[in-house]
Amino acid sequence: MPDSLAAAPLGAPPVLHSGDGAHAISVTQAGSSNFGRYAWGVLAYTILVVLFGAVVRITGSGAGCGQHWPTCQGQIVLLPKRMETAIELSHRATSALCLVLVVALSIGAVRCFRPGEVVRTAVWFALGTVAVEALIGASLVLFRLVGHNDSLARALVMGAHLVSTCFLTAAIAVAAWAATHPVSIRLPGALVLMLATALLGLLLVSMTGAITALGDTVYPPSVSGATLGAGALLLERMRAVHPILAMLVGFLLVILVPAAARRAQGKDTLTFGRASLALVFFQASLGVLNIWLKAPGWMQVFHLAIAMFLWTAMVLFSASAALKA
């Protein structure tokens, strides 16, 4: 007869007593560790897919498969004859693989963690969000919100697309971190308010950044000057709004992150907090450089990459502060 389980905090592998329990502990811990490594890999791959999506936008390849989804040019199997079609088809394939990886992540969470644990909750959220991502991607194609479309609808959908991407990466990052950290939820009111304000500020910057990047693609700064309606007006005005908002939020993070770290304490909280502040200053420098260089495509991708790293660092900072290890 196996020994009874000892009480363990949420997120921790079950602890067993003597005898056969020692073997069970090692197996459970190994499963959590393997799950954590897999989750970090899924997170890295997801960020690469996001960056590939920026390449699709920059190269104007969003319409490479025509107004067809999930097929390309109305065909299930297609040999691309144009570069735009090859890029869009490749992006769809990498996005589909991301969906498969998140589904596998959810299966692993069910096998390794108990219902109600932080890891399971985060993975279910990731699974729902990746489905939303697929729907947004489909709507961009089906409603022709690609290529040089400068409509207000496309600008708004692009902003929503970036926000859903942030939610997806946040959920995967929390699952990866919590898989190897025994955690329980702690939600002091003042700390939660600080963390929520910081994350909300970053989301707003991300939304305006996505719209600004779209404007830089449709109306390159070096040749822009025309305004062709509400969508175009929003795209061009966002070039001023986004940098100002980014500076304000960056200043806010410089204040909130140290204050939250002092309240939460903890080694991981300190590490992620320092990384977040370093990325804030680096991203600000890249923003200035991006404007000075008139937003070339390669810089847009690099700027987005650092934005994703900053968002991930802030999510992990918030998780380590709000979840007691």
Side-chain angles (χ1 to χ4, degrees), residues 15-249:
V15 178
L16 294 96
H17 296 297
S18 60
D20 294 338
H23 176 66
I25 290 174
S26 64
V27 171
T28 303
Q29 290 176 337
S32 298
S33 179
N34 290 336
F35 177 91
R37 284 193 291 270
Y38 175 71
W40 287 121
V42 174
L43 176 63
Y45 179 80
T46 301
I47 292 176
L48 288 176
V49 173
V50 173
L51 299 181
F52 193 6
V55 172
V56 173
R57 169 183 52 76
I58 292 167
T59 58
S61 302
C65 287
Q67 197 177 359
H68 299 276
W69 191 95
T71 63
C72 185
Q73 301 291 359
Q75 301 180 43
I76 297 177
V77 179
L78 175 71
L79 181 62
K81 296 181 179 179
R82 298 188 304 138
M83 181 59 68
E84 292 82 359
T85 303
I87 293 175
E88 169 63 8
L89 192 57
S90 298
H91 179 58
R92 290 189 185 188
T94 56
S95 298
L97 179 56
C98 184
L99 175 60
V100 172
L101 293 177
V102 173
V103 170
L105 191 69
S106 66
I107 295 173
V110 170
R111 296 184 61 181
C112 295
F113 301 92
R114 297 188 300 271
E117 293 190 58
V118 171
V119 176
R120 269 210 192 189
T121 302
V123 169
W124 289 133
F125 189 80
L127 188 61
T129 309
V130 78
V132 172
E133 283 279 80
L135 292 176
I136 293 177
S139 66
L140 287 170
V141 173
L142 296 176
F143 293 103
R144 298 182 179 178
L145 302 178
V146 291
H148 292 283
N149 183 301
D150 63 353
S151 67
L152 181 60
R154 184 184 184 188
L156 296 177
V157 171
M158 290 296 292
H161 198 8
L162 205 286
V163 170
S164 67
T165 296
C166 288
F167 285 156
L168 173 60
T169 54
I172 299 173
V174 170
W177 177 79
T180 53
H181 292 75
V183 297
S184 59
I185 298 176
R186 58 172 184 180
L187 299 174
L191 179 61
V192 169
L193 181 60
M194 286 189 287
L195 296 175
T197 300
L199 293 176
L200 179 59
L202 277 180
L203 280 178
L204 290 175
V205 173
S206 298
M207 287 180 64
T208 59
I211 298 173
T212 302
L214 175 61
D216 289 337
T217 299
V218 179
Y219 301 108
S222 58
V223 298
S224 181
T227 55
L228 304 175
L233 188 60
L234 174 64
L235 294 179
E236 293 200 326
R237 284 184 174 177
M238 202 57 66
R239 285 183 180 145
V241 174
H242 174 64
I244 293 174
L245 182 60
M247 287 189 295
L248 291 175
V249 171

